[in-house]
Amino acid sequence: MLSENEIKILSYLKLKKKANAEEISKELGLPLSSIFSLAKLLEEKGYVKIGERKIIRFELTEEGKKRLKEGFPEEILLKELNGQPSLIEDLKNKMGKDLEIAISWARKKNLVKIDQNRVIPNTSNYTFSTEKEALLKPESADEKVLQELLSRKLITRKEESKLEITLLKEEFEEQNYITQLTSELLRSKDWKKYKIREYNVEALPPYFPLAKKHFFRDFIEKLKDVMKELGFTEVNAGYIEMELYNFDLLFQAQDHPAREIHDSFRVDGLGKIDDERLLKEIKEMHEKGWKYSWDPQIAKRLVLRSQTTAVTARILSSRPSVPFKGFSLGKVFRPDSIDATHLIEFHQLDGVIIQKEFSFTDLLGILREIFYKIGIKEIKFKPGYFPFTEPSVEVYGKIEGLGWVEMSGAGLLRPEILKAMDIDANAGAWGIGIDRLAMLLFGLKDIRLLYANDIDFLRKMKVRL
Amino acid sequence: MPTIVSYKWTLINNLKISDNQLEELLFKLKSEVKPIDADHVEIEVNNDRPDLFFPYGIIRAAKGILGKELGEPKYDIKQSVYSFEVKEVKSRPYAVAGIVKDIKLDDESLRELIQFQEKLHITVGRKRKKVAIGIHDLDKITSTKIYYKPLPLDYKFIPLNQSKLMTIKEVIEQTPQGREYGNISIYDGLSPAIVEENGDVLSIPPIINSDKTRIDEKTRNIFIDVTGTSFEAVSSTLDILVTDLAEMGGKIELLNFISPSKFEFSPLLRRYTVSVSANYISKNLGINLSLNEIEKYLRMARFDTKVLNDVVEVTVPPYRVDILSQIDLVEEIAMTIGYDKLSPKDYTIKATGKLSAETELIRTLRDLSIGAGFSEIFTFILSNDKRLRNEYVSIVNPVTVEYNAVRNSLIPTLLNFLKYNQHAIMPVYVFEIGDVVIKDKRTDTGYKNSLRAVYGIMNSKVNYEDLQSRVHQILMSLDIEPTYKTYLDDMFIPGRGAKIIDTSKSVEIGVIGEINPVLLEELEIEFPVVISEIYLDSLVKR
């Protein structure tokens, strides 16, 4: 099958039988490079023969152009002599360095002779028409004259090979093809005059940068849906938090090792606590429970929250009406060395359920449900310790190929906290580290890939159903 | 959580169990065990159970769970001939002392005892700030009268592992312990000290003991001093030490205690009672247990119990510092039953939940952004402050300069992302939705999270309209009518940056523009970039 351009070339050759590539390029308005490749295709299909023809081209040099205009040096010499002998000395003054060339060529052509210091002309009516004609039309010049001009560098000679394309087959399908159906063709109904070219539909396509949601963001949204389905209301708070909510309200003693500077990121400044009753109750709780003098100034210090339980603490301090079921999913910050399994900022999912009747086994039931919905079908419980819960439990989930992995800390909120917040009910709370979990579920070897600065990685990431 | 290294055979032989059973047992005690070599295991113990920092404490608890011994163990306690007098020591006013006789030490148990002391120092002792412990060979103490009192800094003694007399001042200046702990004990030119009647120093807590009373494998009788800033903490720490040593076979002896406190003997070995009803247990645990069952489980947890009417009266042993109230007994019962034996209750959903207005907006915006052809990226909240402009929150104690501030805009993080993706197949269309932190006087912390969206296009050729057309349609879809006002800012090419205004509310809701080549060059980005940041706070539908 012939392409549109192949047909154009064949049609042209039908008139000329034979043509060179440059000519076809010029006539058909196609780039020379396409003519070469098209001609090759036509040759393969047996429509044309490509022959190479050597062409000799002469070109006038700058010197040649000058001589054509001003005359040859020996011509000028003859004019200067005007039939009379002249002293070389005088001629030199008039002609400069051209004189040497002039004398040399004039002697070769037997136009002058030298006698001691004089130039004597042999003739006065020599015409230079042969040489000049040869300069203008080197192709048809006498070989001897041509050699002279070449040796005098008045012209140059170049050999070029040209592709000559000869038509072999006169018959070809003259049906026109189009590659693209256009609105214009449809409107004009001209499409009927053409055939639409076939594609190699089996070839793989070029790359397309598909817009995609981020896989880890999707996972986070999925977790929020799980919590919503389980009847929980989403609550959020800021990253900058007072130690009051990050620690004190959660019954973490002010000299507790977890509150040391290397365990949370500090921010300059102090927060404000207007709720005097809250301060009084927390002071009482700490001094009675841990037997030391509680300092409200420490509670006002600012940190980047190190646990989303700080949001739970804010919920509690707002003395919510019972029953209440809330969750918070967001970033927390902890100093650590950053490596394949550790980040200094990561997500936690904290939940709290406040209910008149709520027991430890109710809590275990909720945890089982949450993990089942996340896709962790097998879990086990281990006793644990957290300052703000009792009984406390650590949840381990089974990950294929890895075994049991710690996934969550949970427990019933200590009665001391509930009492301080005036909440007459039981409460369960838990925190789940999200990033490590996502890393395991997505099968990533490096936790930093959750935040990869690499669009290729994101573009290649498969979507999980 | 503290980890201790224990000689495995002490545990195995005393409990008569296998390796596997040991692991299971410790799991039930909130602990995890890992083998180190054929003879040693590493045990991770929880902070709230300092009595388990010594293998014999673990053995005591494990025997209960195995049902080998129930209730609180009874240790023989005798009155000794020694006395301990506490004088006024301003920097660390509290001190107690105890004696344990007839202990048998070998190199393993000596190492475990020193490890016990160290773990107590770090945890309950808050790195010796709150509590410091001195353990001495009683037989090397000359007099029966021992004092806790301040000594001047030119007082001399031979500190542990030294061969010559040194002044306290020299100890503080020249020994590693002195340099580390000297600053928490010296007050008014005086150092706390445990001293014999003859003036011999036993220790200068919390820094160092004397060489005179050092313990070794041959030590059979020991004297322990515990000093610090909290009476509760020092007395309970001593109780934990002497009872764990008693579990090892030692005999506790009391000293006459002369102090401002009401107590006549030291160690105090204080017990108290907590009453718990069957109703309370079932309410919190969610399972019904009879008073007899409750008693059984609590005795397995090594508590002495007594049934009084409808409650169980529980005596808390001196070493159980983690029992604050009856809820702690609920956990004891749960642990003794075994968490694996508790059946989780089926969860029934009674009310529908709700996502926050922010989440709803984020989800809508993610869909629109994908529709506009942008790929979502997810970057860190923490940033290098060099990349941030205007006001931002600095971290006082960053771990690396790369993350020493909290981002106040999503533009720097997006530019940083683009910088690392110049090798990618162009064009790069990306967006991110996330929180930044800005100052806000109206909040109690003085700061607030602000929700933002950022869009960026990087290509070999890209212009303002390429992005504006897309962002415009996204905003229109959110029922916002945006108008654009020329905005001169170093970040943008002059005349190619604008503020985006929510026309109906006359609120500025973002910026958009072609990034200035000066900035691109600074960031080493060799492609033109257009960026728009949208402030979402006013768009959240509450």
PDB file of all heavy atoms in Angstrom, chain B residues 217-228:
ATOM      1  N   GLU B 217      31.967 -10.734  94.715  1.00  0.00           N
ATOM      2  CA  GLU B 217      31.329 -12.056  94.785  1.00  0.00           C
ATOM      3  C   GLU B 217      31.357 -12.637  96.206  1.00  0.00           C
ATOM      4  O   GLU B 217      30.554 -13.496  96.529  1.00  0.00           O
ATOM      5  CB  GLU B 217      32.025 -13.056  93.841  1.00  0.00           C
ATOM      6  CG  GLU B 217      31.848 -12.766  92.376  1.00  0.00           C
ATOM      7  CD  GLU B 217      32.929 -11.855  91.811  1.00  0.00           C
ATOM      8  OE1 GLU B 217      33.576 -11.108  92.600  1.00  0.00           O
ATOM      9  OE2 GLU B 217      33.124 -11.874  90.594  1.00  0.00           O
ATOM     10  N   LYS B 218      32.286 -12.155  97.009  1.00  0.00           N
ATOM     11  CA  LYS B 218      32.424 -12.722  98.352  1.00  0.00           C
ATOM     12  C   LYS B 218      31.475 -12.068  99.364  1.00  0.00           C
ATOM     13  O   LYS B 218      31.329 -12.549 100.480  1.00  0.00           O
ATOM     14  CB  LYS B 218      33.874 -12.581  98.832  1.00  0.00           C
ATOM     15  CG  LYS B 218      34.836 -13.483  98.042  1.00  0.00           C
ATOM     16  CD  LYS B 218      36.219 -13.539  98.646  1.00  0.00           C
ATOM     17  CE  LYS B 218      37.107 -12.365  98.304  1.00  0.00           C
ATOM     18  NZ  LYS B 218      37.425 -12.169  96.881  1.00  0.00           N
ATOM     19  N   THR B 219      30.862 -10.955  98.943  1.00  0.00           N
ATOM     20  CA  THR B 219      29.971 -10.235  99.852  1.00  0.00           C
ATOM     21  C   THR B 219      28.786 -11.117 100.234  1.00  0.00           C
ATOM     22  O   THR B 219      28.149 -11.734  99.373  1.00  0.00           O
ATOM     23  CB  THR B 219      29.479  -8.941  99.186  1.00  0.00           C
ATOM     24  OG1 THR B 219      30.615  -8.145  98.853  1.00  0.00           O
ATOM     25  CG2 THR B 219      28.554  -8.162 100.111  1.00  0.00           C
ATOM     26  N   ARG B 220      28.464 -11.187 101.517  1.00  0.00           N
ATOM     27  CA  ARG B 220      27.335 -11.989 101.999  1.00  0.00           C
ATOM     28  C   ARG B 220      26.251 -11.126 102.638  1.00  0.00           C
ATOM     29  O   ARG B 220      25.088 -11.470 102.655  1.00  0.00           O
ATOM     30  CB  ARG B 220      27.806 -13.044 103.019  1.00  0.00           C
ATOM     31  CG  ARG B 220      28.624 -14.179 102.390  1.00  0.00           C
ATOM     32  CD  ARG B 220      27.755 -15.014 101.437  1.00  0.00           C
ATOM     33  NE  ARG B 220      28.560 -15.899 100.599  1.00  0.00           N
ATOM     34  CZ  ARG B 220      28.912 -15.621  99.352  1.00  0.00           C
ATOM     35  NH1 ARG B 220      28.536 -14.478  98.790  1.00  0.00           N
ATOM     36  NH2 ARG B 220      29.636 -16.481  98.644  1.00  0.00           N
ATOM     37  N   ASN B 221      26.661 -10.011 103.227  1.00  0.00           N
ATOM     38  CA  ASN B 221      25.713  -9.131 103.910  1.00  0.00           C
ATOM     39  C   ASN B 221      25.854  -7.733 103.320  1.00  0.00           C
ATOM     40  O   ASN B 221      26.971  -7.231 103.157  1.00  0.00           O
ATOM     41  CB  ASN B 221      26.026  -9.080 105.411  1.00  0.00           C
ATOM     42  CG  ASN B 221      26.008 -10.486 106.007  1.00  0.00           C
ATOM     43  OD1 ASN B 221      25.065 -11.254 105.786  1.00  0.00           O
ATOM     44  ND2 ASN B 221      27.075 -10.832 106.733  1.00  0.00           N
ATOM     45  N   ILE B 222      24.722  -7.129 102.983  1.00  0.00           N
ATOM     46  CA  ILE B 222      24.848  -5.813 102.355  1.00  0.00           C
ATOM     47  C   ILE B 222      24.046  -4.733 103.081  1.00  0.00           C
ATOM     48  O   ILE B 222      23.034  -5.007 103.747  1.00  0.00           O
ATOM     49  CB  ILE B 222      24.450  -5.833 100.862  1.00  0.00           C
ATOM     50  CG1 ILE B 222      22.998  -6.237 100.682  1.00  0.00           C
ATOM     51  CG2 ILE B 222      25.358  -6.703 100.041  1.00  0.00           C
ATOM     52  CD1 ILE B 222      22.523  -6.062  99.255  1.00  0.00           C
ATOM     53  N   PHE B 223      24.557  -3.527 102.940  1.00  0.00           N
ATOM     54  CA  PHE B 223      23.884  -2.338 103.449  1.00  0.00           C
ATOM     55  C   PHE B 223      23.515  -1.487 102.235  1.00  0.00           C
ATOM     56  O   PHE B 223      24.316  -1.305 101.331  1.00  0.00           O
ATOM     57  CB  PHE B 223      24.846  -1.562 104.376  1.00  0.00           C
ATOM     58  CG  PHE B 223      24.351  -0.192 104.743  1.00  0.00           C
ATOM     59  CD1 PHE B 223      23.403  -0.022 105.762  1.00  0.00           C
ATOM     60  CD2 PHE B 223      24.816   0.944 104.081  1.00  0.00           C
ATOM     61  CE1 PHE B 223      22.949   1.252 106.094  1.00  0.00           C
ATOM     62  CE2 PHE B 223      24.356   2.208 104.412  1.00  0.00           C
ATOM     63  CZ  PHE B 223      23.420   2.368 105.429  1.00  0.00           C
ATOM     64  N   ILE B 224      22.277  -1.022 102.208  1.00  0.00           N
ATOM     65  CA  ILE B 224      21.819  -0.222 101.075  1.00  0.00           C
ATOM     66  C   ILE B 224      21.361   1.137 101.572  1.00  0.00           C
ATOM     67  O   ILE B 224      20.582   1.222 102.534  1.00  0.00           O
ATOM     68  CB  ILE B 224      20.626  -0.895 100.348  1.00  0.00           C
ATOM     69  CG1 ILE B 224      20.977  -2.326  99.923  1.00  0.00           C
ATOM     70  CG2 ILE B 224      20.184  -0.073  99.128  1.00  0.00           C
ATOM     71  CD1 ILE B 224      19.803  -3.122  99.389  1.00  0.00           C
ATOM     72  N   ASP B 225      21.865   2.199 100.937  1.00  0.00           N
ATOM     73  CA  ASP B 225      21.291   3.524 101.225  1.00  0.00           C
ATOM     74  C   ASP B 225      20.571   4.021  99.977  1.00  0.00           C
ATOM     75  O   ASP B 225      21.014   3.773  98.864  1.00  0.00           O
ATOM     76  CB  ASP B 225      22.397   4.511 101.647  1.00  0.00           C
ATOM     77  CG  ASP B 225      23.326   4.894 100.520  1.00  0.00           C
ATOM     78  OD1 ASP B 225      22.926   5.733  99.669  1.00  0.00           O
ATOM     79  OD2 ASP B 225      24.467   4.349 100.472  1.00  0.00           O
ATOM     80  N   VAL B 226      19.430   4.652 100.217  1.00  0.00           N
ATOM     81  CA  VAL B 226      18.685   5.250  99.104  1.00  0.00           C
ATOM     82  C   VAL B 226      18.361   6.686  99.489  1.00  0.00           C
ATOM     83  O   VAL B 226      17.792   6.931 100.555  1.00  0.00           O
ATOM     84  CB  VAL B 226      17.387   4.482  98.781  1.00  0.00           C
ATOM     85  CG1 VAL B 226      16.708   5.084  97.562  1.00  0.00           C
ATOM     86  CG2 VAL B 226      17.672   3.004  98.536  1.00  0.00           C
ATOM     87  N   THR B 227      18.776   7.610  98.658  1.00  0.00           N
ATOM     88  CA  THR B 227      18.610   9.032  98.982  1.00  0.00           C
ATOM     89  C   THR B 227      17.980   9.750  97.789  1.00  0.00           C
ATOM     90  O   THR B 227      18.027   9.258  96.668  1.00  0.00           O
ATOM     91  CB  THR B 227      19.983   9.679  99.235  1.00  0.00           C
ATOM     92  OG1 THR B 227      20.776   9.483  98.069  1.00  0.00           O
ATOM     93  CG2 THR B 227      20.683   9.070 100.426  1.00  0.00           C
ATOM     94  N   GLY B 228      17.405  10.916  98.088  1.00  0.00           N
ATOM     95  CA  GLY B 228      16.833  11.643  96.953  1.00  0.00           C
ATOM     96  C   GLY B 228      15.952  12.802  97.330  1.00  0.00           C
ATOM     97  O   GLY B 228      16.014  13.312  98.457  1.00  0.00           O
TER      98      GLY B 228
END
